[in-house]
Amino acid sequence: MIIWLNGPFGGGKTTLATTLQQELPGAVLFDAEDVGFLLRDVFPGKYKDFQDNPAWRPLVAQVAVHCHQENDGHPVIIPMTLLRQDYAAEIHGAIRAAGIPLQHLLLHADPDTVLDRINASVEYPDNETRSEKVRAFRRGKLPIYTSAYDGWLAADAEVIDTTHLTPRQVADQALKIIGAL
């Protein structure tokens, strides 16, 4: 099974991914962002968002499929925000076409909570200017997330509202959804 963790920045994807990896025997993490960083290095400045690079989506699907095969069918956990329905359909469709079950979990939180989490984040402890640029980028994605949530995302995924939940409670809900609890 591939477990795709979607949601806004500050939704809890990384925290949940780490917890699931610890609790699901044999589970591995695949960060699809790494494929984007590779392509960004190959095509510097060509795409503002690496997800817009037409090579990113099929490569992510192929790597996910190979990770699943290499991992002897144990879960592959992918924490990655996908806000465009066509991009999600392309990647998820390719994974499912390979015969691999995919569970799409959406970690949702109300906008004020997400903003609080983003504003409290420190990505670069030694560089506040760089951290603020990351926070500004993430804040700018919130309206896009809200639009996707209202438009298609909530209907496409199993939603876990993390607004008032502890990380343990989020993990328990996720484990229940994927049938591991």
Side-chain angles (χ1 to χ4, degrees), residues 5 23 65 98:
L5 304 178
E23 296 192 21
V65 167

Side-chain angles (χ1 to χ4, degrees), residues 16 160 162 164-175:
L16 179 58
I160 300 173
T162 68
H164 302 291
L165 299 180
T166 66
R168 178 73 257 159
Q169 291 169 321
V170 172
D172 287 345
Q173 283 195 23
L175 289 165

Side-chain angles (χ1 to χ4, degrees), residues 93-104:
I95 291 168
R96 289 182 176 121
I100 300 169
L102 182 135
Q103 185 67 59
H104 184 193

Side-chain angles (χ1 to χ4, degrees), residues 116-179:
D116 288 346
R117 292 174 183 172
I118 290 170
N119 289 333
S121 70
V122 179
E123 297 301 313
Y124 301 97
D126 297 335
N127 189 333
E128 177 54 30
T129 301
R130 191 169 180 197
S131 286
E132 181 50 37
K133 285 182 181 181
V134 170
R135 288 189 294 266
F137 170 80
R138 291 175 175 178
R139 285 189 296 267
K141 292 289 186 180
L142 189 54
I144 299 166
Y145 167 76
T146 301
S147 177
Y149 180 82
D150 293 339
W152 70 274
L153 196 49
D156 189 73
E158 293 284 340
V159 178
I160 300 173
D161 189 330
T162 68
T163 303
H164 302 291
L165 299 180
T166 66
R168 178 73 257 159
Q169 291 169 321
V170 172
D172 287 345
Q173 283 195 23
L175 289 165
K176 190 178 291 183
I177 291 168
I178 63 172

Side-chain angles (χ1 to χ4, degrees), residues 14-97:
T14 301
T15 300
L16 179 58
T18 302
T19 303
L20 291 178
Q21 183 183 26
Q22 293 168 355
E23 296 192 21
L24 296 172
V28 296
L29 289 177
F30 162 45
D31 190 344
E33 203 168 56
D34 290 338
V35 175
F37 295 152
L38 169 78
L39 291 171
R40 187 178 287 156
D41 288 344
V42 173
F43 301 104
K46 187 168 183 179
Y47 300 96
K48 184 176 179 181
D49 183 335
F50 60 71
Q51 289 189 11
D52 295 330
N53 184 324
W56 182 78
R57 298 176 300 280
L59 283 172
V60 165
Q62 289 174 344
V63 172
V65 167
H66 285 287
C67 285
H68 186 268
Q69 292 167 342
E70 182 70 24
N71 202 31
D72 298 322
H74 294 291
V76 176
I77 303 161
I78 306 173
M80 184 74 218
T81 300
L82 285 175
L83 299 180
R84 287 193 45 174
Q85 185 175 14
D86 55 335
Y87 290 3
E90 182 178 348
I91 295 167
H92 295 174
I95 291 168
R96 289 182 176 121

